């Protein structure tokens, strides 16, 4: 069965500093990987996705993530964060198929401080 | 472009009362549809999904039910709410590997 682990429940960082949010997954088959962002009292917004091809994927708002098959990781990075990046970030894995269900991690709260 | 609507945005209901949350999608046909619940300070729990009209699969046994009366309409219901049903309910649609989420409904059971 697939699973997703986000080890950091909260990541504090100062504005304009770089950040990395960690995500590890477990799956015995090929997967699709996603990062979503959730601002307070809102739905989830897709940041970026890995389906196949280049292991470095770029998303919206200056975020990028690297798929590492040998380490079963899909860490999210941003070279310089802004106050507006403060939000909850969720990593998710899908095995596709007709149901296309997503398995989510427990989320990481990115707290950007001035 | 595709859009997804959920209503109501917020709801306060007493224990034992019924529930009906609605989700509609525009701009796409035959999407997969999903209901998630997000309890306070916790991750997302998949409750139901549907791959077509009238086809509902339940992920977690509970006192909630779902229906899909039309291709782009997904309804979450309960006959009698419990305190533990409080949370943020999210509807999502998918025709590709990724899913797209609605704005959510905040349900408080008192």
């Amino acid at each position: 069965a697939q699973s997703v682990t986000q080890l950091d429940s909260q990541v504090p960082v100062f504005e304009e500093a770089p950040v990395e949010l960690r995500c590890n997954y477990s799956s015995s088959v090929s997967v699709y990987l996603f990062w979503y962002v959730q601002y307070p009292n809102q739905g989830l917004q897709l940041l970026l996705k890995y389906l196949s091809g280049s292991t470095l994927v770029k998303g919206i708002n200056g975020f990028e993530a690297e798929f590492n098959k040998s380490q079963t990781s899909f860490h999210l990075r941003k070279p310089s964060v802004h106050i507006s990046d403060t939000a909850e970030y969720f990593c998710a894995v899908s095995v596709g198929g007709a149901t296309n269900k997503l398995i989510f991690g427990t989320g990481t709260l990115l707290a950007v401080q001035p | 472009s595709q859009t997804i609507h959920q209503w109501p945005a917020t709801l306060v209901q007493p224990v034992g009362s019924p529930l009906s949350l609605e989700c509609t999608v525009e701009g796409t046909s035959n999407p997969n549809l999903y209901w998630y619940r997000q309890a306070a300070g916790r991750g997302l729990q998949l409750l139901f999904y549907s791959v077509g009209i009238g086809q509902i699969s339940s992920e977690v046994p509970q006192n909630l039910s779902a229906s899909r009366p039309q291709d782009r309409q997904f309804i979450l219901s309960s006959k009698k709410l419990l305190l533990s049903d409080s949370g943020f309910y999210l509807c999502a649609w998918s025709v590709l590997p990724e899913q797209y989420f609605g704005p959510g409904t905040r349900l408080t059971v008192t």
Side-chain angles (χ1 to χ4, degrees):
Chain A
Q2 295 76 34
S3 66
V4 177
T5 302
Q6 292 181 248
L7 289 173
D8 305 306
S9 60
Q10 186 168 352
V11 173
V13 62
F14 287 106
E15 193 173 19
E16 298 184 2
V19 70
E20 177 179 84
L21 306 184
R22 297 181 294 169
C23 173
N24 288 90
Y25 69 93
S26 174
S27 176
S28 59
V29 298
S30 297
V31 296
Y32 303 126
L33 294 158
F34 309 90
W35 275 99
Y36 287 86
V37 59
Q38 185 180 33
Y39 299 101
N41 295 310
Q42 295 186 26
L44 276 68
Q45 181 182 7
L46 181 64
L47 266 182
L48 48 78
K49 61 188 177 186
Y50 172 78
L51 305 181
S52 64
S54 174
T55 57
L56 182 64
V57 292
K58 295 186 182 297
I60 61 172
N61 302 341
F63 284 92
E64 64 180 32
E66 185 159 18
F67 169 61
N68 188 319
K69 187 174 182 179
S70 63
Q71 297 186 11
T72 59
S73 67
F74 190 54
H75 300 332
L76 181 70
R77 302 186 183 102
K78 186 170 183 178
S80 177
V81 295
H82 302 290
I83 295 288
S84 59
D85 292 322
T86 295
E88 190 87 25
Y89 291 79
F90 292 94
C91 182
V93 61
S94 168
V95 293
T99 63
N100 194 33
K101 291 189 290 184
L102 292 181
I103 308 299
F104 283 88
T106 51
T108 297
L109 175 62
L110 176 62
V112 182
Q113 305 164 8
Chain B
S1 65
Q2 300 87 358
T3 55
I4 179 169
H5 304 279
Q6 286 186 246
W7 63 88
T10 60
L11 190 60
V12 180
Q13 292 283 93
V15 168
S17 64
L19 173 73
S20 181
L21 303 181
E22 189 165 342
C23 169
T24 60
V25 182
E26 297 177 356
T28 186
S29 297
N30 196 30
N32 282 6
L33 296 171
Y34 310 84
W35 277 112
Y36 292 86
R37 178 171 59 204
Q38 189 175 29
R42 302 183 66 179
L44 287 89
Q45 180 185 37
L46 178 62
L47 302 175
F48 300 94
Y49 66 92
S50 171
V51 299
I53 297 175
Q55 301 179 59
I56 308 295
S57 296
S58 173
E59 288 290 293
V60 182
Q62 57 208 321
N63 71 319
L64 298 172
S65 63
S67 62
R68 184 171 178 174
Q70 300 180 41
D71 181 45
R72 290 170 288 180
Q73 184 184 31
F74 206 22
I75 297 172
L76 184 69
S77 304
S78 174
K79 293 182 179 178
K80 289 185 178 181
L81 283 168
L82 306 173
L83 285 175
S84 58
D85 291 324
S86 292
F88 194 47
Y89 287 82
L90 290 159
C91 180
W93 70 272
S94 173
V95 291
L96 295 171
E98 58 262 41
Q99 292 184 14
Y100 296 94
F101 287 79
T105 294
R106 174 77 58 192
L107 172 65
T108 303
V109 183
T110 60

